[in-house]
Amino acid sequence: MDNQDGGSTSTSNWTGAWSVDGNGNTWHTLCRVDGRLFKFLHLTPRVIDGAPLRTLNYGVVRLGNLRPTYMIHVDPYIVHHDSEDDNNKNISTAGQVVSNPYIHRDTNGFALQFWIGYGTNNANESSSYMSEFPNLGFSYGVFSSNTSSPSLANGSLYVDDENTRNANTLTKGGVAYTNLDGYGVTRVSDPGNTRYNFMKVR
């Protein structure tokens, strides 16, 4: 993604395969897996007032229609970046993402869709819960601001989006938001720029 020229795009600590190059542009590497492997994260069993206490939310990028199991929100969050206006060089490289219909990229911007999974303390066991993140055969992370267990590492990627007539949006079901549940993506204090928060889980 071609970010604001001369801007302050940067990374901090663990960001998986998302990186910043020498020109301040970001590379967003994604792996497409079966989304149904991701469920409510079952933490220490506990019920408060007869209802589950949700304590950990996380996000995954939508690359298909096999969404996480028993998601509460059917509509994905759509994070649109107004990227560099001057001689924009947004690109997609080899892989399944090049023609993926859920990733929008053009010379005006770049958009990703996110599905949200919920962590919950619930005394009831069922197939809708997982006790740990699935083993996919490689190290990976999800999007979350959580820094305690099951986090193995954390980091963030700050994207300096277009400065002039910035048109960033973050929506779900047509409603505008300032952050993704679990704060995996946030623009709360800086709507013209974007911060991604990473949680390594494997």
Side-chain angles (χ1 to χ4, degrees):
M1 182 165 60
D2 188 350
N3 304 314
Q4 175 64 40
D5 291 346
S8 56
T9 296
S10 61
T11 60
S12 175
N13 300 317
W14 190 88
T15 58
W18 288 34
S19 62
V20 181
D21 66 21
N23 295 315
N25 303 316
T26 48
W27 295 84
H28 306 253
T29 302
L30 301 166
C31 292
R32 185 174 182 175
V33 300
D34 189 340
R36 295 171 298 184
L37 297 172
F38 294 84
K39 306 178 182 182
F40 295 119
L41 188 63
H42 185 100
L43 302 175
T44 304
R46 182 180 177 190
V47 170
I48 291 183
D49 296 329
L53 172 64
R54 298 188 178 94
T55 58
L56 191 159
N57 300 345
Y58 65 93
V60 293
V61 175
R62 180 186 186 186
L63 295 176
N65 277 321
L66 299 181
R67 64 187 180 89
T69 304
Y70 298 101
M71 271 184 44
I72 292 178
H73 291 328
V74 175
D75 292 329
Y77 284 85
I78 300 175
V79 179
H80 175 265
H81 293 265
D82 181 0
S83 49
E84 172 61 39
D85 288 346
D86 185 19
N87 191 26
N88 184 279
K89 295 182 175 65
N90 286 343
I91 62 169
S92 294
T93 58
Q96 295 174 323
V97 176
V98 173
S99 59
N100 191 287
Y102 303 108
I103 294 180
H104 176 76
R105 173 190 59 79
D106 58 30
T107 56
N108 296 315
F110 178 87
L112 292 173
Q113 297 187 28
F114 287 81
W115 272 322
I116 302 300
Y118 288 85
T120 177
N121 285 335
N122 194 318
N124 299 317
E125 297 283 357
S126 77
S127 60
S128 63
Y129 294 94
M130 61 183 183
S131 60
E132 59 184 6
F133 280 92
N135 185 346
L136 304 176
F138 52 86
S139 295
Y140 69 94
V142 295
F143 298 88
S144 176
S145 60
N146 176 69
T147 58
S148 59
S149 180
S151 175
L152 302 176
N154 293 89
S156 65
L157 170 66
Y158 177 78
V159 180
D160 191 333
D161 297 310
E162 172 60 35
N163 290 349
T164 305
R165 296 182 299 278
N166 182 278
N168 280 353
T169 59
L170 199 169
T171 59
K172 178 172 67 66
V175 178
Y177 288 78
T178 54
N179 59 259
L180 214 120
D181 281 355
Y183 304 99
V185 182
T186 182
R187 291 177 175 150
V188 171
S189 60
D190 192 6
N193 300 300
T194 311
R195 185 176 300 278
Y196 289 93
N197 294 311
F198 300 85
M199 177 174 69
K200 183 180 181 181
V201 296
R202 283 286 183 176

